[in-house]
Amino acid sequence: MRHSEPRSDDVPIGGATADAIAVGGGLAGSAFALELARHGVSTMVFERMRGPHHKVCGEFLSDRAQALLHYLGVDVAALGGSPVETLCLSSGATRASARLPFEAVGISRLLLDETLLQAAERAGAKIYRATSVERLEARVQRVRVQTAGASFECRAAALASGKHNIRGLPRPDAPMVGFKMHLHTAKAARASLMRMVHLIAFTGGYLGLCLIENGTLSIAWIVSAAVLTSIGTSWAAQSAYFARQSPFFEELTTGATPAWEKPLAVAGLPYGFMRSATIAETIYPVGDQLAVIPSFSGDGTALALASGIAAAQAVLNGESASSFQRRMLANYKPQFRRALILDRVIADARLRRAGIVGARLFPSIVTMLVSATRLSGLDRLITSADART
């Protein structure tokens, strides 16, 4: 892959560097570029990071996410992820478990993002790393993309910068802070982690744990800024707080060693955000720049992939960005509404404990709620039957 800023003289006849540009090389941007490139559309991806990297994001792939990756030609089984069949819920000493309505898999975002970005490059997309986009400017039937070093033009652009906003295109601020840490687990705890994803609620937030490739334990969590101020940001401080709140967390992580010196972090996560306002008819927001679902749903990856593919197909079909956004958000709204209701339940100590007791008595309710917060209507979002299963 290239690792340099594209030169300003890389401009073909007509003044456009490519037919389309993805601003960001995460899952949504890579899916957009891959779908266009394999349909013969010249596409560029501007990725701000210099190489493969970890991201603050859960690493749980639902059945929808796996189906979308299959549509894009990614062999999920070959990535060596950890299978997940059961969801375990806990709050304090109260816990319950239930079978998932599908088999999920835990795979790191570092591996998954890089796999998809390389697939886009093999399909013909040009990948430019260490390239930060500073501004997007709509022109008549064109988009000007301004990087730190030069300006480029294209017929259509995907705003795929994930949790990082581009100047002039803000999302609302929010009080929640997201973190992620990888742990090397002790052998004794591994049996309680095999084939399971754990959702542990605590005062001020919640965390999710699952094994990924190579038996590594991935932990992603959100915590309110107010609680964070009182407990501190280091892994030692936060993990001690989680252990005080949850004996189950302490049991799962006893003897584990952190893979990094400090957790990854990102602030201001705007859960429930849906970008209804059109930026321009040629600028397609995708992934977290289109909508942000609460993390516990485990479907953010599917939303990112679906939006990237659907935006590419909108470009191929001549559909405007405003039409694309209306169509996508109309499909998202029922899923988001249910997820936000559950998010409020998780935030209330009495409600979440009552919910877990109910889940212990009636595990089928959990299975039903998991299904209710999955991405639906793929046949209305993308055109290939391969991704609708």
Side-chain angles (χ1 to χ4, degrees), residues 62-120:
S62 68
D63 56 336
R64 301 294 196 272
Q66 293 176 70
L68 290 162
L69 288 165
H70 173 74
Y71 167 75
L72 290 168
V74 174
D75 184 353
V76 175
L79 298 179
S82 181
V84 179
E85 299 172 345
T86 302
L87 169 63
C88 181
L89 304 171
S90 65
S91 176
T94 307
R95 67 181 75 171
S97 61
R99 294 276 295 187
L100 292 170
F102 51 83
E103 183 170 299
V105 63
I107 296 176
S108 72
R109 282 295 302 272
L110 182 149
L111 175 60
L112 188 61
D113 285 38
E114 191 63 17
T115 297
L116 201 59
L117 193 58
Q118 290 182 4

Side-chain angles (χ1 to χ4, degrees), residues 104-327:
V105 63
I107 296 176
S108 72
R109 282 295 302 272
L110 182 149
L111 175 60
L112 188 61
D113 285 38
E114 191 63 17
T115 297
L116 201 59
L117 193 58
Q118 290 182 4
E121 184 177 45
R122 287 194 300 272
K126 293 183 178 180
I127 312 300
Y128 297 96
R129 306 215 191 212
T131 302
S132 294
V133 171
E134 298 183 343
R135 186 179 295 275
L136 292 175
E137 180 184 348
R139 300 196 162 196
V140 178
Q141 301 300 316
R142 291 221 178 264
V143 180
R144 170 164 286 186
V145 180
Q146 179 68 51
T147 71
S151 294
F152 304 89
E153 289 193 354
C154 58
R155 289 193 300 109
L159 176 60
S161 56
K163 296 175 176 64
H164 302 277
N165 297 330
I166 301 298
R167 185 191 310 164
L169 299 173
R171 300 176 302 164
D173 200 6
M176 302 306 290
V177 184
F179 292 89
K180 184 160 79 177
M181 174 60 82
H182 282 179
L183 299 181
H184 303 300
T185 58
K187 187 175 181 179
R190 211 161 293 155
S192 298
L193 294 164
M194 293 293 293
R195 297 186 173 272
M196 299 191 74
V197 58
H198 296 268
L199 180 64
I200 300 176
F202 56 85
T203 301
Y206 56 82
L207 53 84
L209 308 86
C210 72
L211 294 176
I212 56 172
E213 67 273 11
N214 302 319
T216 299
L217 176 60
S218 173
I219 306 179
W221 67 97
I222 63 164
V223 59
S224 70
V227 170
L228 191 63
T229 299
S230 67
I231 64 175
T233 60
S234 71
W235 169 246
Q238 293 198 72
S239 61
Y241 175 74
F242 301 151
R244 291 193 300 272
Q245 291 270 313
S246 169
F248 197 34
F249 175 86
E250 184 174 31
E251 175 186 323
L252 292 172
T253 58
T254 295
T257 57
W260 313 320
E261 182 180 349
K262 58 183 180 180
L264 304 180
V266 63
L269 298 174
Y271 291 123
F273 166 73
M274 303 178 89
R275 192 186 292 274
S276 56
T278 304
I279 301 168
E281 295 295 0
T282 49
I283 299 176
Y284 299 76
V286 295
D288 281 355
Q289 288 295 322
L290 176 62
V292 184
I293 195 166
S295 300
F296 74 85
S297 73
D299 225 26
T301 296
L303 293 176
L305 293 167
S307 63
I309 295 167
Q313 293 182 350
V315 172
L316 292 169
N317 296 329
E319 181 184 9
S320 68
S322 59
S323 173
F324 159 78
Q325 286 175 247
R326 284 194 301 271
R327 179 167 57 85

Side-chain angles (χ1 to χ4, degrees), residues 1 19 29-45 71-74 114-127 312:
M1 287 193 177
D19 291 325
S30 294
F32 175 81
L34 174 53
E35 179 72 349
L36 287 177
R38 65 183 186 173
H39 283 87
V41 177
S42 61
T43 308
M44 302 168 72
V45 179
Y71 167 75
L72 290 168
V74 174
E114 191 63 17
T115 297
L116 201 59
L117 193 58
Q118 290 182 4
E121 184 177 45
R122 287 194 300 272
K126 293 183 178 180
I127 312 300

